[in-house]
Amino acid sequence: MAIASPAGVCPPFKATTGTPFCSAQPTADNFREAYQCFSSAALGGKKEAHYYIGLMLDYGQGIQSNPEKAFENYLVAARDGYARAQFNLGFLYESGRGTRKLLSEAYVWYTLAGESGMGNAVRTRNELARKMQPYEVAYAQQRLGMLKKLLAGE
């Protein structure tokens, strides 16, 4: 099922959940159309579309690069449990790109990405933990527990 962009045409993209946003793969020629497609999907409540918008904003594909807006879009998808967005949030927190550099938050989001099924996120989190002080890891683990409760609606 294709989602029409404001122009009435969507470039071809499919959600990893199997629900297509659009009908084919992006090329350098249609990134702008893809951005419109994902924006329409996001407005229609498809949280995974925020991940793809984040990617496009992060890497400047079809739109000017904007790490702060990429961060905001990844966050929407990450809160909904989308592992790739959780991983990318971890990276942005670790590098300080688009947000403040906070290793404890990077640890939290890498952990959530790993728990959501992204295997390399656990490895990345463990590498990050080796760079952190023990009190930072302890704080990150405490923060992880609080965030899990918040995301679960407790």
Side-chain angles (χ1 to χ4, degrees), residues 96-108:
R97 190 161 173 249
T99 189
R100 258 181 55 196
K101 183 175 183 174
L102 295 169
L103 298 184
S104 59
E105 286 298 306
Y107 182 100
V108 166

Side-chain angles (χ1 to χ4, degrees), residues 50-119:
H50 285 279
Y51 165 73
Y52 291 103
I53 293 169
L55 276 179
M56 297 181 95
L57 287 163
D58 206 0
Y59 295 100
Q61 296 174 322
I63 190 161
Q64 184 175 353
S65 177
N66 186 331
E68 291 82 11
K69 292 284 185 189
F71 175 86
E72 292 171 10
N73 279 277
Y74 287 147
L75 186 58
V76 171
R79 286 179 176 164
D80 202 42
Y82 193 64
R84 291 178 182 179
Q86 292 169 335
F87 184 86
N88 286 11
L89 266 183
F91 177 78
L92 293 181
Y93 272 121
E94 183 179 2
S95 65
R97 190 161 173 249
T99 189
R100 258 181 55 196
K101 183 175 183 174
L102 295 169
L103 298 184
S104 59
E105 286 298 306
Y107 182 100
V108 166
W109 288 105
Y110 286 145
T111 301
L112 289 172
E115 291 176 1
S116 294
M118 187 172 234

